[in-house]
Amino acid sequence: MTTQNLESETPTPEDSKMWTARLRNAWQRNLPIDKLLPDTQPAYVASWIYVFGVLTIAAFVDILISGLILAFAGPAWYHTSSLGLFVNSLHFWGVQLFFVFMVVHLWGKFWMAAWRGRRTATWITGMVAFLASIGTAFTGYLIQTNFDAQWIAFEAKDGFNAVGIGAFFTPTNIGQIMLIHVALLPLVLGVITVMHVLLVRKHGVVPPIDALPEIEA
Amino acid sequence: MSGWLSDFMNVPAKYIHFNSWLQISVSNLIVILIMVALFAAAILLPFPGSHSKSNSHRGDK
Ligand code: HEM
């Protein structure tokens, strides 16, 4: 609150110029709580194709939890003990499911042209999530420390040098790649996913292409 | 690693060559076919608890 408001009549939230008030007002306008946490959806949402976004999130949660266990226990555990191999497998197969779900989700959104009605940012954040996932999977394969990983690293090194970014990303530097894989990229992917879902909440689910114009949001 | 799964996986990938420019590993082809099947199932299978007659507003222009 500014002192100027204290002197005048009762300050309305719109009066305040503080960044907290401006953020609050913008949030209230764009994403009121009933839009953020709805308990009903339009009839057309009752289809399996709308489940694939949340299936992707479920696979992501599996990857995060199993990855956290792998990071704390270390390769000496997850490469040797049977429980370690099991958690390693939860992580690996979670990634396979993550990509399968994400691609079916992408196909669904593509064929219903889900970027209609000012939903461009939803589509773009989805695309960025896809690219970030590829980077995360790539760095994951690099830290398997087997012959596959070595082969991929040395092929990628040549590719990175050819496009001029070899000075910043060195696939053969396992310390760098492991930190990017466990710290940076999961965070980036998590933040993008939150933005993506908040945008879906803000705009509401896109109406089918053959819906009446007045249903169009 | 040992067991039937690793016996199945710890070998060089088998490739299908359609012609000189189109080739794909069997494993990648299987994954793509699974995704296509999932997509078709998601479109075609009825969603439990939905009343398909209630969306009569669709298409009645
Ligand atoms: C990390 C990967 C992703 C996650 C976790 C995710 C999650 C979600 C969720 C939960 C929804 C709402 C429910 C649904 O319709 O399924 C959604 C909607 C949407 N997704 Fe994704 N998504 C991902 C990647 C993508 C990709 C790669 C694209 C396309 C380039 C995409 C495009 C969209 C669009 C356009 C919508 C909005 C549909 C509408 O407004 O009705 N998403 N996403």
Side-chain angles (χ1 to χ4, degrees), chain B residues 14-44:
Chain B
K14 287 178 188 61
Y15 272 79
I16 300 176
H17 300 258
F18 289 97
N19 48 47
S20 59
W21 58 271
L22 184 60
Q23 40 182 300
I24 188 166
S25 72
V26 175
S27 16
N28 279 347
L29 186 63
I30 290 174
V31 170
I32 292 170
L33 291 179
I34 288 174
M35 291 191 298
V36 172
L38 265 179
F39 182 77
I43 301 295
L44 296 175

Coordinates of all heavy atoms in Angstrom, one line a residue, chain B residues 14-44:
Chain B
K14 N 17.7 -54.7 -35.2 CA 17.3 -55.3 -36.5 C 16.6 -54.2 -37.3 O 15.8 -53.5 -36.8 CB 16.4 -56.5 -36.4 CG 17.1 -57.7 -35.9 CD 16.1 -58.9 -35.7 CE 16.8 -60.0 -35.0 NZ 17.3 -59.6 -33.7
Y15 N 17.1 -54.0 -38.6 CA 16.5 -53.0 -39.4 C 15.7 -53.5 -40.5 O 16.0 -54.6 -41.1 CB 17.6 -52.1 -40.0 CG 18.0 -51.0 -39.1 CD1 18.9 -51.2 -38.0 CD2 17.6 -49.7 -39.3 CE1 19.2 -50.2 -37.1 CE2 17.9 -48.7 -38.4 CZ 18.7 -48.9 -37.4 OH 19.1 -47.9 -36.5
I16 N 14.6 -52.8 -40.8 CA 13.8 -53.1 -42.0 C 14.1 -52.1 -43.1 O 14.1 -50.9 -42.8 CB 12.3 -53.0 -41.7 CG1 11.9 -54.0 -40.6 CG2 11.4 -53.3 -42.9 CD1 10.4 -53.9 -40.2
H17 N 14.5 -52.6 -44.3 CA 14.8 -51.7 -45.4 C 13.7 -51.7 -46.4 O 13.5 -52.7 -47.0 CB 16.1 -52.2 -46.1 CG 17.3 -52.2 -45.1 ND1 18.3 -51.2 -45.1 CD2 17.7 -53.1 -44.2 CE1 19.2 -51.5 -44.2 NE2 18.8 -52.6 -43.6
F18 N 12.9 -50.6 -46.4 CA 11.9 -50.6 -47.4 C 12.4 -50.4 -48.8 O 12.0 -50.9 -49.8 CB 10.9 -49.5 -47.1 CG 10.0 -49.8 -45.9 CD1 10.4 -49.4 -44.6 CD2 8.9 -50.7 -46.0 CE1 9.6 -49.7 -43.5 CE2 8.2 -51.0 -44.9 CZ 8.5 -50.5 -43.6
N19 N 13.4 -49.5 -48.9 CA 14.2 -49.3 -50.1 C 15.5 -48.5 -49.7 O 15.8 -48.5 -48.5 CB 13.4 -48.5 -51.2 CG 12.8 -47.2 -50.5 OD1 13.4 -46.5 -49.8 ND2 11.5 -47.0 -50.8
S20 N 16.2 -48.0 -50.6 CA 17.5 -47.4 -50.2 C 17.4 -46.2 -49.3 O 18.3 -46.0 -48.5 CB 18.3 -47.0 -51.5 OG 17.5 -46.1 -52.2
W21 N 16.3 -45.5 -49.3 CA 16.3 -44.3 -48.5 C 15.4 -44.4 -47.2 O 15.5 -43.7 -46.3 CB 15.8 -43.1 -49.3 CG 14.5 -43.2 -49.9 CD1 14.3 -43.7 -51.2 CD2 13.2 -42.8 -49.4 NE1 12.9 -43.7 -51.4 CE2 12.3 -43.2 -50.4 CE3 12.8 -42.3 -48.2 CZ2 10.9 -43.0 -50.2 CZ3 11.4 -42.1 -48.0 CH2 10.5 -42.4 -49.0
L22 N 14.5 -45.4 -47.2 CA 13.6 -45.6 -46.0 C 13.9 -46.9 -45.3 O 13.8 -48.0 -45.8 CB 12.1 -45.6 -46.5 CG 11.1 -45.7 -45.3 CD1 11.3 -44.5 -44.4 CD2 9.7 -45.8 -45.9
Q23 N 14.5 -46.7 -44.1 CA 14.8 -47.8 -43.3 C 14.5 -47.5 -41.8 O 14.6 -46.3 -41.4 CB 16.2 -48.3 -43.4 CG 17.2 -47.2 -43.5 CD 18.6 -47.7 -43.7 OE1 19.1 -48.4 -42.9 NE2 19.3 -47.3 -44.8
I24 N 14.1 -48.5 -41.0 CA 13.7 -48.2 -39.7 C 14.0 -49.5 -38.8 O 13.8 -50.6 -39.3 CB 12.2 -47.8 -39.6 CG1 11.8 -47.3 -38.2 CG2 11.3 -48.9 -40.0 CD1 10.5 -46.6 -38.1
S25 N 14.4 -49.2 -37.6 CA 14.7 -50.4 -36.7 C 13.3 -51.0 -36.3 O 12.3 -50.3 -36.2 CB 15.5 -50.0 -35.5 OG 14.7 -49.2 -34.6
V26 N 13.3 -52.3 -36.1 CA 12.1 -53.0 -35.7 C 11.5 -52.4 -34.4 O 10.3 -52.1 -34.3 CB 12.3 -54.5 -35.5 CG1 11.1 -55.2 -35.0 CG2 12.8 -55.1 -36.8
S27 N 12.4 -52.0 -33.4 CA 12.0 -51.5 -32.2 C 11.3 -50.1 -32.4 O 10.2 -49.9 -31.8 CB 13.1 -51.4 -31.2 OG 14.3 -51.5 -31.8
N28 N 11.9 -49.3 -33.2 CA 11.2 -48.0 -33.4 C 9.9 -48.1 -34.1 O 8.9 -47.4 -33.8 CB 12.2 -47.1 -34.3 CG 13.2 -46.4 -33.4 OD1 13.1 -46.4 -32.2 ND2 14.2 -45.9 -34.1
L29 N 9.8 -49.1 -35.1 CA 8.6 -49.3 -35.8 C 7.5 -49.8 -34.8 O 6.3 -49.3 -34.8 CB 8.8 -50.4 -36.9 CG 7.6 -50.6 -37.8 CD1 7.2 -49.3 -38.5 CD2 7.8 -51.7 -38.8
I30 N 7.9 -50.7 -33.9 CA 6.9 -51.2 -32.9 C 6.4 -50.0 -32.0 O 5.2 -49.9 -31.8 CB 7.6 -52.2 -32.0 CG1 7.8 -53.5 -32.8 CG2 6.7 -52.6 -30.8 CD1 8.6 -54.6 -32.0
V31 N 7.3 -49.1 -31.6 CA 6.9 -48.0 -30.7 C 5.9 -47.1 -31.5 O 4.9 -46.7 -31.0 CB 8.1 -47.2 -30.2 CG1 7.7 -45.9 -29.6 CG2 8.9 -48.0 -29.3
I32 N 6.2 -46.8 -32.8 CA 5.3 -46.0 -33.6 C 4.0 -46.6 -33.8 O 2.9 -46.0 -33.6 CB 6.0 -45.7 -35.0 CG1 7.2 -44.8 -34.8 CG2 5.0 -44.9 -35.9 CD1 8.1 -44.6 -36.0
L33 N 4.0 -47.9 -34.0 CA 2.7 -48.6 -34.2 C 1.9 -48.6 -32.9 O 0.6 -48.4 -32.9 CB 2.9 -50.1 -34.7 CG 3.4 -50.2 -36.1 CD1 3.7 -51.6 -36.5 CD2 2.5 -49.5 -37.1
I34 N 2.6 -48.7 -31.7 CA 1.9 -48.7 -30.4 C 1.2 -47.3 -30.3 O 0.1 -47.1 -29.9 CB 2.8 -49.0 -29.3 CG1 3.2 -50.4 -29.2 CG2 2.2 -48.5 -27.9 CD1 4.3 -50.8 -28.2
M35 N 2.0 -46.2 -30.7 CA 1.4 -44.9 -30.5 C 0.2 -44.7 -31.4 O -0.8 -44.1 -31.0 CB 2.5 -43.8 -30.8 CG 3.6 -43.8 -29.8 SD 4.7 -42.4 -29.9 CE 5.4 -42.7 -31.5
V36 N 0.3 -45.2 -32.7 CA -0.8 -45.1 -33.6 C -2.1 -45.8 -33.0 O -3.2 -45.3 -33.1 CB -0.5 -45.6 -35.0 CG1 -1.7 -45.6 -35.9 CG2 0.6 -44.7 -35.6
A37 N -1.8 -47.0 -32.5 CA -2.9 -47.8 -31.9 C -3.5 -47.1 -30.7 O -4.8 -47.1 -30.6 CB -2.4 -49.2 -31.5
L38 N -2.7 -46.5 -29.9 CA -3.2 -45.8 -28.7 C -4.0 -44.6 -29.2 O -5.1 -44.3 -28.6 CB -2.0 -45.3 -27.9 CG -1.6 -46.1 -26.7 CD1 -0.4 -45.4 -26.0 CD2 -2.7 -46.3 -25.7
F39 N -3.6 -43.9 -30.2 CA -4.3 -42.7 -30.7 C -5.7 -43.1 -31.2 O -6.7 -42.5 -30.9 CB -3.5 -42.0 -31.8 CG -4.1 -40.8 -32.4 CD1 -4.1 -39.6 -31.7 CD2 -4.7 -40.8 -33.6 CE1 -4.7 -38.5 -32.2 CE2 -5.3 -39.7 -34.2 CZ -5.3 -38.5 -33.4
A40 N -5.7 -44.2 -32.0 CA -7.0 -44.7 -32.6 C -7.9 -45.1 -31.4 O -9.1 -44.8 -31.4 CB -6.7 -45.9 -33.5
A41 N -7.3 -45.9 -30.5 CA -8.2 -46.3 -29.3 C -8.7 -45.1 -28.6 O -9.9 -45.1 -28.2 CB -7.3 -47.2 -28.4
A42 N -7.9 -44.1 -28.4 CA -8.4 -42.9 -27.6 C -9.5 -42.2 -28.3 O -10.4 -41.6 -27.7 CB -7.2 -41.9 -27.4
I43 N -9.5 -42.2 -29.7 CA -10.6 -41.6 -30.4 C -11.8 -42.4 -30.4 O -12.9 -41.9 -30.3 CB -10.1 -41.3 -31.9 CG1 -8.8 -40.4 -31.9 CG2 -11.2 -40.7 -32.7 CD1 -9.0 -39.0 -31.4
L44 N -11.6 -43.8 -30.6 CA -12.8 -44.6 -30.9 C -13.4 -45.2 -29.6 O -14.7 -45.3 -29.6 CB -12.3 -45.8 -31.8 CG -11.8 -45.4 -33.2 CD1 -11.3 -46.6 -33.9 CD2 -12.9 -44.7 -34.0

